[in-house]
Amino acid sequence: MQIISGKPSLGRNAQAPTQGTRRAPGLRWRRVALATALAFPLAGLSPAWAQTASPDSSQTRLETKSAFVADLIGRMTLDEKIGQLRLISIGSDMPAAKLADEIAAGRIGASFNTVTRKDNRPLQAAAVERSRLKIPVLFAYDIVHGHRTVFPISLGLASTWDMQAVELAARTAAVEAAADGIDMTFAPMVDISRDPRWGRTSEGFGEDPHLVSEAARASVRGFQGMSLAAPDSIGASVKHFALYGAVEGGRDYNTVDMSPMRMYQDYLPPYRAAVDAGAAGVMVALNSINGVPATSNTWLMQDLLRKQWGFKGVTVSDHGAITELVKHGVARDSREAAKLAIKAGIDLSMADQVYLQELPRLVQSGEVSMQEIDNAVREVLGVKYDLGLFSDPFRRIGTADGDPVDVNAEQRLHRAATRDVARKSLVLLENRNGTLPLRKAGTIALVGPLADSPIDIMGSWSAAGVAKQSVTLRQGLEAAVRGRARVVYARGSNVTDDPAIVEYLNFLNWDTPEVVNDKRPAADQIAEAVRAAQQADVVVAAVGEARGMSHESSSRTSLELPASQRDLLAALKATGKPLVLVLMNGRPLALDWAKKNADAVLETWYTGTEGGHAISDVLFGDYNPAGKLPVSFARSVGQIPTYYNHLRIGRPFTPGKPGNYTSQYFEEPNGPLYPFGYGLSYTRFELSDVSLSAPTMARGGRVTASIAVRNAGDRAGETVVQLYIEDPAASVARPVKELKDFRKIMLQPGEQQVVRFEIDEQKLAFYNAKLEHVAEDGQFNVQIGLDSQDVKVGTFELR
Ligand code: BGC
């Protein structure tokens, strides 16, 4: 049996014997035929799944769905209803046989962390063959950046600024996951993160509302495909609603305190984008918002999500979050926690017992009404209906004769797709004197604790990815130069020599220790790397963070590379050989030393299954890098927050004109080390001035901003043209700039293209003090550039 056990998981597969019942091959088709032949509504105890064949679309479908669900609810006992509200993980306290029995008893409606058809089939059989009403169970899993094939982490996906690539990653993951019998993912994770200390920065798409919203839409499209009911689609449960990325101090699970204006303007749009794109689910965040935990937040789930946004899917609590309402200090005990959560609008309760234990008595006492229970049940059954589970509970599980012999078989992977996306996700931060691309000749010293680490290159939340199937940088480099150049490898250092940190990281990962240190003295490891460097023409050093350092519960107080790696780099630098840094990390690091000392720096995040090939493609110039940063890089942890779209202030710091009594830190230069939107190419691009189609925009009208981009180098290459807008005088202070649009273009050497952006009122609108979304009359500055800092400016007026 392939299960993912324990919490939180970095994405490991545990093996346990297969249990549960087997279905006869071919039964599925008899069921479907039966289902279509039967007329709705059926009386009595006939299987729920046999009652409709999910008619295709339109109003009729909605009416059929609600009639179907209402009929089913009408036939359910209270205990069966409560069972449908429970999402329980397989694990040591819930082995497969027990899970099957609980499902058969109608006490569990959805499960997560089983990742094969073979494992899910007996569980589904328990539901549709043994439970009284035969309501199918829903299978969920955390599929964030790939399923069997691991794609770059979301921060890497965002660095592509290519929404087709983001969609492709999600689509591929959906196809693979659905083929493993999974119906729903807890993704995309669209929490805006402006504090790199937060380890979950890696899971999101960065700091910008527009870019993250675009990625949210693309992901939902990818996961859900053309129709949720399609056998190769899975439901997307967008998370973590809401504002989880703004936890105070970047410390995971901490509180969030935020003005409504900032919420509406910057943090809520990505969730909204996912909802508008039709996300089937919303996972509710673990944090509180201005004192009220999201899990008991009626405003959040009822007023905002359901009423204002018109969300029609299912809400899911995060792991154990209902129980945690007691620790938050808003519920006296679990009884009150269950009451608060159901009343606020949590439909599915993840990984706790409280609904099971408390809801019956709460209903009996009249504190929770049957209507409130029914409202939640309706959403759970509704999503199962939309996923096509009632017409065929086995639509993603299939029959045993169709099961893959080996779930990890090579032919089940989508290597070409992930290699392509991974290449697009790489961001070239430095390239002095054309150090890159490297020649496939001579001797290359490859060093660093991440150069040959198949598990780290997958990144955290790597779903059902298997480390031994990922291509490390060492493998990629050796394959790229085979027969032409020599690669000398030395690990050089541990990721960290701090035993307490090693212990912490290994505790995060419950099955096998991931961080395994070389026990030799650090000096010996460094000496070995220096010997390798001395024989080489160039040194490539793969440094950064073990994947567990950028994960749930992995907040950091420092953004530096760990000391062991800093010492290694200093020794390599002292050899005088050209030094290329390949960074693998899940958050923006403080890279001051690297910027000053390395000859080239390539930010690769965690690139996934084909990482080593993708990075080699860029190192040798077989692919010209075009990734752009989706987050600002602070110079030091003390500068946080460093996000680019900060509000205007009364005493701004003016670069180049330092002065007392302006807003600055006096010990180091101000502003980010690398700005949002930044990334180099092996070619050079030149921009013309901005030209605007008119000096004024009438209400309801448009202005077109154009800029000519020329490839002034000698290689073909892509770049991302970025449109920012500033509203310099409004009724409230507005950001110095905000990304409103972008275009990725490919130019041949010498080629020029004019890029046009249509600007309408929507792009000028913002949430004012009354939370009205308005565009105010007056001047607007249009800023266009290839990053957020170095821009050309034009001006027009809205009248
Ligand atoms: C995480 C969620 C995840 C859930 C289920 C929680 O700890 O916060 O993002 O979906 O676990 O694995």
Side-chain angles (χ1 to χ4, degrees), residues 632-705:
S632 308
F633 274 49
R635 291 166 197 272
S636 64
V637 80
Q639 270 196 338
I640 298 168
T642 321
Y643 57 95
Y644 83 93
N645 46 350
H646 58 84
L647 295 188
R648 293 168 64 104
I649 53 172
R651 295 188 179 189
F653 171 78
T654 316
K657 288 189 201 150
N660 290 340
Y661 303 104
T662 65
S663 185
Q664 60 172 310
Y665 298 103
F666 63 79
E667 310 108 306
E668 66 182 0
N670 280 264
L673 191 66
Y674 297 110
F676 175 82
Y678 170 85
L680 302 172
S681 161
Y682 293 151
T683 188
R684 271 182 318 110
F685 297 99
E686 286 173 1
L687 293 180
S688 70
D689 286 336
V690 172
S691 92
L692 293 169
S693 58
T696 56
M697 184 201 280
R699 290 277 162 189
R702 281 162 189 270
V703 162
T704 306

Side-chain angles (χ1 to χ4, degrees), residues 324-402:
E324 288 171 15
L325 290 175
V326 177
K327 293 216 175 120
H328 271 290
V330 299
R332 213 173 305 121
D333 49 24
S334 54
R335 178 189 169 95
E336 196 176 5
K339 180 172 144 186
L340 289 174
I342 192 87
K343 283 184 180 290
I346 296 282
D347 303 328
L348 264 177
S349 125
M350 182 193 284
D352 53 30
Q353 302 285 326
V354 279
Y355 272 9
L356 178 75
Q357 288 165 356
E358 307 296 346
L359 286 181
R361 285 185 293 143
L362 285 165
V363 173
Q364 267 157 24
S365 69
E367 288 165 87
V368 168
S369 69
M370 192 60 92
Q371 189 57 54
E372 284 164 326
I373 302 282
D374 287 355
N375 287 347
V377 176
R378 187 179 317 110
E379 304 306 349
V380 175
L381 298 180
V383 80
K384 291 183 178 184
Y385 187 99
D386 291 340
L387 285 161
L389 291 173
F390 284 108
S391 65
D392 179 6
F394 295 91
R395 71 173 43 216
R396 296 182 184 83
I397 295 172
T399 52
D401 52 2

Side-chain angles (χ1 to χ4, degrees), residues 477-725:
L477 222 57
E478 282 170 352
V481 302
R482 188 153 298 136
R484 297 166 71 178
R486 194 162 73 99
V487 176
V488 192
Y489 168 73
R491 190 160 177 267
S493 79
N494 292 315
V495 168
T496 170
D497 283 331
D498 184 329
I501 295 179
V502 172
E503 193 189 343
Y504 183 78
L505 296 174
N506 285 336
F507 168 75
L508 274 181
N509 190 357
W510 292 22
D511 294 339
T512 44
E514 290 195 347
V515 182
V516 181
N517 273 2
D518 187 334
K519 297 279 185 297
R520 288 178 301 160
D524 292 2
Q525 297 177 49
I526 290 178
E528 191 175 61
V530 165
R531 281 196 297 278
Q534 279 159 346
Q535 304 167 41
D537 302 301
V538 61
V539 181
V540 175
V543 291
E545 302 178 298
R547 67 173 186 160
M549 292 168 78
S550 277
H551 183 53
E552 179 177 349
S553 189
S554 293
S555 299
R556 295 186 62 193
T557 55
S558 160
L559 301 176
E560 300 286 335
L561 288 172
S564 56
Q565 299 185 63
R566 295 203 304 270
D567 293 347
L568 169 66
L569 292 181
L572 294 172
K573 173 74 185 169
T575 65
K577 300 287 172 147
L579 180 59
V580 176
L581 297 194
V582 172
L583 298 170
M584 298 188 192
N585 47 290
R587 52 162 65 78
L589 295 175
L591 297 175
D592 201 38
W593 187 93
K595 187 177 168 72
K596 287 188 187 124
N597 292 285
D599 297 282
V601 181
L602 184 66
E603 176 58 79
T604 72
W605 312 114
Y606 299 107
T607 35
T609 305
E610 279 287 303
H613 286 145
I615 298 169
S616 301
D617 288 343
V618 165
L619 289 179
F620 294 110
D622 297 324
Y623 182 84
N624 189 353
K628 298 279 187 178
L629 295 178
V631 277
S632 308
F633 274 49
R635 291 166 197 272
S636 64
V637 80
Q639 270 196 338
I640 298 168
T642 321
Y643 57 95
Y644 83 93
N645 46 350
H646 58 84
L647 295 188
R648 293 168 64 104
I649 53 172
R651 295 188 179 189
F653 171 78
T654 316
K657 288 189 201 150
N660 290 340
Y661 303 104
T662 65
S663 185
Q664 60 172 310
Y665 298 103
F666 63 79
E667 310 108 306
E668 66 182 0
N670 280 264
L673 191 66
Y674 297 110
F676 175 82
Y678 170 85
L680 302 172
S681 161
Y682 293 151
T683 188
R684 271 182 318 110
F685 297 99
E686 286 173 1
L687 293 180
S688 70
D689 286 336
V690 172
S691 92
L692 293 169
S693 58
T696 56
M697 184 201 280
R699 290 277 162 189
R702 281 162 189 270
V703 162
T704 306
S706 319
I707 196 159
V709 188
R710 200 172 81 84
N711 181 346
D714 52 10
R715 265 174 188 267
E718 286 178 297
T719 191
V720 181
V721 190
Q722 304 160 32
L723 169 78
Y724 298 86
I725 294 184

Side-chain angles (χ1 to χ4, degrees), residues 421-489:
V421 174
R423 302 191 315 182
K424 292 178 173 162
S425 72
L426 307 181
V427 188
L428 184 62
L429 298 177
E430 296 292 338
N431 194 16
R432 251 183 283 285
N433 307 321
T435 305
L436 293 180
L438 300 176
R439 289 180 313 121
K440 290 180 184 167
T443 300
I444 299 166
L446 175 65
V447 296
L450 295 166
D452 200 21
S453 176
I455 198 140
D456 289 306
I457 206 164
M458 296 198 296
S460 74
W461 297 108
S462 53
V466 173
K468 67 175 190 295
Q469 289 183 312
S470 50
V471 178
T472 66
L473 178 55
R474 183 182 184 185
Q475 291 165 335
L477 222 57
E478 282 170 352
V481 302
R482 188 153 298 136
R484 297 166 71 178
R486 194 162 73 99
V487 176
V488 192
Y489 168 73

